[in-house]
Amino acid sequence: VINSWGDQITNEIVRQELGEDGIYSLDKPGEWKNMVDLCYTAAMVHPGGGRNDIPNRLKRQFCLFNVNMPSLVAIDNIFGSIIRGRLSASKTSDSIAAVAERLTDATIKLWKETSAKMLPTPAKFHYQFNMRELSRVFAGVFEAPRESITDDRYLVSLWRHECERVFTDKLTNAKDKEWENNQILQVVGDVYGTEMAGDVDGSCYFVNFLEEPRFDDEGICEDERPKLYRQVLDVSLVRDKALAFQTQHNDETKVGKLELVLFDYALEHLMRISRVISMDRGSMMLV
């Protein structure tokens, strides 16, 4: 709330502390409290989408640095160099390398269109799409070992899945999600052709928990739960694996036994959650 003098009442105590090195006591009116040996750092995004600017009386207490988004050329140099080096023709195939060559362009195109359409509002204040979204898409693509990417359609399906997890899952209602999913396929059609868009249409999920335990020649378990990020061709495989984990948990735990009904919608959430917690610094908000 901004008053008649252009101040925000909730920030005035901060402004007073920064400007006068102390504040008045709220418990004992008139008593002054000095704050010494303190250093302050603050961060904020640009005003808009339900966010107010802070007063100039508070802003002037800081040395300001405005960090702009990198140019599209810089973004392509960052992510394009990595993806093209990882999936070059000498390491994969010509068709996979050709798809990887344009993967950055497709991601930037989708990011720009999503940022222009899905604007933040007071009810959708988290509709912010920046460099983090781009990095998360490519981080998800890099989760799949190079050897598991068998052809160009597999790579496009993997990219589509990561875009759905990064962009679509962030949206709050069915209308926005439908628009985003259609836009992803539209970008695939624009960049790789309508035939490719038709080939990768339909349900698309990748998980890393379907592999069976690995044993050596002597029957000793080397890896109880090997992780291979690969496409789910049949959701029943995910259901069977999840039920097997549930049974194992109930056999090993005397309290807190699980009796979950894993219908398809629950399995979709399970696969989303599994992907997030498997990634470095992964986090989510469940509503």
Side-chain angles (χ1 to χ4, degrees):
V1 178
I2 301 176
N3 62 20
S4 303
W5 295 274
D7 297 325
Q8 294 169 330
I9 298 175
T10 52
N11 279 328
E12 272 303 286
I13 193 171
V14 179
R15 195 275 312 159
Q16 186 179 54
E17 156 58 17
L18 292 175
E20 303 177 28
D21 296 326
I23 59 174
Y24 282 103
S25 173
L26 299 179
D27 297 326
K28 298 180 179 179
E31 179 180 328
W32 180 258
K33 292 187 176 181
N34 291 305
M35 305 291 181
V36 297
D37 294 332
L38 296 177
C39 181
Y40 298 89
T41 303
M44 62 179 290
V45 295
H46 291 163
R51 299 180 303 271
N52 293 321
D53 196 2
I54 62 174
N56 290 331
R57 293 178 67 196
L58 174 59
K59 199 183 302 181
R60 71 181 179 88
Q61 306 294 337
F62 292 92
C63 295
L64 302 180
F65 297 89
N66 183 34
V67 181
N68 294 319
M69 280 288 295
S71 66
L72 298 183
V73 174
I75 293 174
D76 182 66
N77 288 337
I78 295 171
F79 298 110
S81 300
I82 298 174
I83 194 72
R84 287 190 290 268
R86 181 182 177 89
L87 300 175
S88 63
S90 61
K91 298 177 181 178
T92 54
S93 66
D94 292 339
S95 61
I96 293 177
V99 169
E101 183 73 24
R102 306 190 65 185
L103 212 57
T104 309
D105 294 337
T107 310
I108 292 174
K109 179 178 177 63
L110 176 64
W111 167 66
K112 290 176 62 179
E113 293 175 354
T114 301
S115 300
K117 175 68 175 180
M118 299 299 172
L119 299 175
T121 66
K124 303 173 182 177
F125 58 90
H126 66 289
Y127 276 26
Q128 299 286 332
F129 303 96
N130 48 40
M131 284 284 290
R132 293 190 188 95
E133 276 64 44
L134 296 176
S135 64
R136 286 166 184 160
V137 169
F138 288 104
V141 172
F142 295 151
E143 284 290 308
R146 183 168 49 233
E147 297 75 16
S148 68
I149 302 176
T150 55
D151 55 32
D152 54 349
R153 286 170 174 76
Y154 190 96
L155 177 56
V156 175
S157 295
L158 173 61
W159 175 84
R160 177 200 163 197
H161 172 262
E162 298 310 310
C163 289
E164 288 183 351
R165 301 289 71 79
V166 172
F167 291 101
T168 305
D169 289 351
K170 193 172 185 177
L171 308 179
T172 58
N173 57 59
K175 182 179 178 181
D176 291 350
K177 291 177 182 291
E178 182 181 4
W179 181 91
E180 186 66 34
N181 288 336
N182 292 335
Q183 197 61 34
I184 293 172
L185 292 175
Q186 180 65 43
V187 170
V188 173
D190 293 342
V191 177
Y192 299 110
T194 55
E195 182 179 354
M196 178 67 78
D199 291 341
V200 301
D201 194 5
S203 178
C204 180
Y205 280 98
F206 283 73
V207 297
N208 65 354
F209 54 81
L210 293 181
E211 298 299 301
E212 297 298 328
R214 296 173 183 170
F215 298 89
D216 60 14
D217 296 337
E218 298 179 355
I220 300 176
C221 184
E222 295 180 332
D223 192 346
E224 184 178 1
R225 295 181 181 177
K227 293 185 178 182
L228 175 62
Y229 198 57
R230 63 184 179 92
Q231 189 172 11
V232 176
L233 300 176
D234 187 356
V235 72
S236 63
L237 297 176
V238 178
R239 180 180 289 104
D240 293 341
K241 195 69 173 180
L243 290 174
F245 284 143
Q246 178 175 270
T247 301
Q248 180 182 359
H249 170 81
N250 291 338
D251 292 340
E252 297 174 353
T253 306
K254 295 182 179 180
V255 295
K257 294 184 180 296
L258 299 176
E259 296 294 339
L260 303 178
V261 178
L262 298 176
F263 48 91
D264 288 350
Y265 195 56
L267 287 174
E268 291 176 1
H269 279 305
L270 175 66
M271 290 185 282
R272 294 187 182 104
I273 294 171
S274 173
R275 173 191 173 276
V276 172
I277 62 179
S278 297
M279 302 185 72
D280 292 338
R281 297 193 298 175
S283 61
M284 73 196 89
M285 179 175 66
L286 303 180
V287 181

